[in-house]
Amino acid sequence: MTITLDSLEPALSVRQVLTLERVLAGEPEVVAGASHLDRPVRWVHVAEAADVGVMLTGGEMVLTTGVLLAGDEDKQAEYVRSLHRAEAAAVVLGLGRAFPAAPDVMRRAAERCGLPMVVLHRPFPFAELTEEVQSRLVRRKFAAVSLSEAVRTELTALITAGAPLQRLLDEVARHSGCPVVVTNLAHRVLGTAGERPAVDDVLRDWERIARQAGGTEGDGWIRAELGGRGERWGRIVLCGYRGDTATGRLLADRAAEALVLHRMLGGGAACSWEEQSAQSLLTDLVSGVVPVRQLLPRARAAGLPVNRRTFVPLVVRDGDPARLERLLRLLGLPGLVAELADGATAVLLSLPRDQDADALAAHFATRLRTGTGPDHTVVAAAEPRAAWDDVPTGLREAQHVADAVADSSTVLQLPPVVRLKDVHLRGLIRLLRDDPHVQSFAERELDGLLRETDEDLLSVLRTYLATGRNKSRTAQLHHVSRPALYRRLESIQLRLGVDLDDFEQAASVHIALLAHDAQQQ
């Protein structure tokens, strides 16, 4: 059976102790400190001596008959002050032979100190109260220890099974019943878990909330530091945890231990979690599965400026994500980088509206291609977007452009930044690649080559058509002599039954080849 925090008894407060059935039998009355009844009770202690404070460590509910205090008002006042200095939770005085009524000196001293003072009007065995409260506290402590071990066991099992960070956070959120956020030291959100509406409420103004909460743990904000070997690199925060602080701290500590272990075993740095966060966000933007307005708090919490900005969606082919991140930092361009599928990397720039978005995108692309060679890296872009709601469409457009030139970047003369207007027929064919009529047309036109799956001839044909039927350029790119190229072109024409010198026939074959290549991606 899994133990959750909902199954734990909350810490007993003075107010809750006074509602216990055994205590009610003594007819309790609060005579001082009524505004402090929510203090937690850590233990119950019976003490009569005036200097009782030296025997306490804080949080005790002290029971007394006052037998050693009767007739000495100085001792009575000092008794209360001693409890206050020791940070006792409350004092309970059993009325009887020593004090038939609440002594004014003790009551006034307790009121000044803000110490709850309770009198019992009927004789009451202190042993019963002690037994009742102690047993409840012991049960709570045992449940907390059981929770700690259960959480540690479950998280360790997930780590051993190779679970991703998100799976661990989901488990922590399930136990805590509140949103869970992992951040770096600059408050940038690296991961979240919990009910989506509650998480979005937390992230909506995350930076202000996180800084306002500071290092305190009020209002259910429980945090634990992440780090090792004397170096901190992040923190985990339970946001709005409804249980007692001690149990929340226990859960946060167990979660922090698991996250540190997860990082160590994964062999990665904290930035890898930032990459995962960006990848999740940009993937959701591209897919359109999550409404774009719901992703705005996540983008803001991930450190992306979103107010009064121009967004430039880019997709880079054959670009190293780590190098892209470094280049963004070097150029001082705010943005997110995330690796997508099939060797594509999405980059979302967020620029001030008074800056030239096209010029900055071109500068970024030029710097990126420096040293990598223009034949290996393609930077595709959509038109800049002024509204966050238009970003998903822009990312999909950039991805479409990148896909459209993915197989031809070595033979086409591409600008530093490729846009939709640059892909022409290639882009249209890619959009129509799943149409059965287009697929049938490609198969029919290329049947003579596809039947024997001669990849060498297909490659020569692809280059020849992409270069505008430039025989010299084609021979150069394939490292063959002109006569050898002529023989291959003759073989291609023979197998296809076409004349590639005829513009219409060559165009038909070119379209079919574009469709065939698009279908293979």
Side-chain angles (χ1 to χ4, degrees), residues 13 55 130 168 172 249 252 287 300 322 349 386 389 417 465:
S13 65
M55 296 180 286
T130 302
L168 269 66
V172 175
R249 160 57 58 189
S287 68
R300 184 183 289 112
L349 302 180
D389 289 353
V417 178
L465 296 174

Side-chain angles (χ1 to χ4, degrees), residues 48 55 74 76 79 150 167 247 336 346 387-388 445 482:
E48 304 287 356
M55 296 180 286
D74 290 338
Q76 295 169 21
Y79 185 86
R167 183 68 184 86
T247 306
L336 296 178
W388 173 256
E445 287 289 303
R482 291 282 293 269

Side-chain angles (χ1 to χ4, degrees), residues 313-315 365 369 377-383 397-398 401-402 404-405 409 412-424:
L314 306 173
V315 171
R369 294 173 64 153
T377 302
V378 174
V379 179
E383 293 302 315
E397 179 183 315
V401 173
V405 298
S409 59
L412 295 180
Q413 294 299 316
L414 300 175
V417 178
V418 187
R419 301 185 185 277
L420 192 60
K421 62 182 179 61
D422 300 314
V423 298
H424 306 295

Side-chain angles (χ1 to χ4, degrees), residues 248-448:
R249 160 57 58 189
L250 186 67
L251 177 59
D253 287 344
R254 294 296 82 77
E257 291 173 3
L259 295 185
V260 171
L261 179 61
H262 181 273
R263 176 190 172 187
M264 291 174 59
L265 293 181
C271 64
S272 66
W273 288 1
E274 295 179 359
E275 293 167 2
Q276 291 179 36
S277 175
Q279 184 174 31
S280 173
L281 174 60
L282 292 184
T283 300
D284 285 345
L285 279 169
V286 171
S287 68
V289 173
V290 181
V292 63
R293 299 305 296 179
Q294 291 185 18
L295 297 174
L296 186 58
R298 286 171 58 187
R300 184 183 289 112
L304 186 73
V306 295
N307 295 328
R308 297 182 296 279
R309 309 291 287 191
T310 297
F311 302 101
V312 183
L314 306 173
V315 171
V316 181
R317 280 282 179 189
D318 299 321
D320 177 22
R323 184 169 184 266
L324 297 177
E325 283 273 14
R326 291 194 298 270
L327 183 57
L328 286 184
R329 290 195 294 268
L330 179 64
L331 299 178
L333 297 176
L336 296 178
V337 176
E339 189 171 7
L340 304 178
D342 302 325
T345 301
V347 180
L348 179 60
L349 302 180
S350 175
L351 307 174
R353 290 185 175 176
D354 59 353
Q355 293 186 352
D356 188 334
D358 289 338
L360 286 174
H363 180 56
F364 171 78
T366 301
R367 290 292 299 271
L368 176 63
R369 294 173 64 153
T370 300
T372 63
D375 293 340
H376 300 290
T377 302
V378 174
V379 179
E383 293 302 315
R385 262 55 179 179
W388 173 256
D389 289 353
D390 296 331
V391 169
T393 303
L395 283 169
R396 287 192 289 271
E397 179 183 315
Q399 189 173 35
H400 164 67
V401 173
D403 290 344
V405 298
D407 61 334
S408 59
S409 59
T410 59
V411 295
L412 295 180
Q413 294 299 316
L414 300 175
V417 178
V418 187
R419 301 185 185 277
L420 192 60
K421 62 182 179 61
D422 300 314
V423 298
H424 306 295
L425 178 62
R426 190 177 299 274
L428 175 62
I429 294 299
R430 185 165 186 84
L431 288 176
L432 299 175
R433 63 179 176 174
D434 294 327
D435 188 296
H437 297 291
V438 174
Q439 294 173 359
S440 177
F441 169 75
E443 292 288 329
R444 185 172 61 251
E445 287 289 303
L446 301 175
D447 180 63

Side-chain angles (χ1 to χ4, degrees), residues 166-186:
Q166 187 60 54
R167 183 68 184 86
L168 269 66
L169 296 183
D170 289 341
E171 191 69 16
V172 175
R174 184 177 69 82
H175 279 289
S176 67
C178 69
V180 175
V181 177
V182 174
T183 77
N184 61 15
L185 296 181

Side-chain angles (χ1 to χ4, degrees), residues 194-210:
E195 294 293 331
R196 196 70 254 169
V199 172
D200 288 344
D201 286 343
V202 170
L203 296 185
R204 192 160 287 114
D205 196 12
W206 169 254
E207 186 171 352
R208 181 189 64 80
I209 294 174

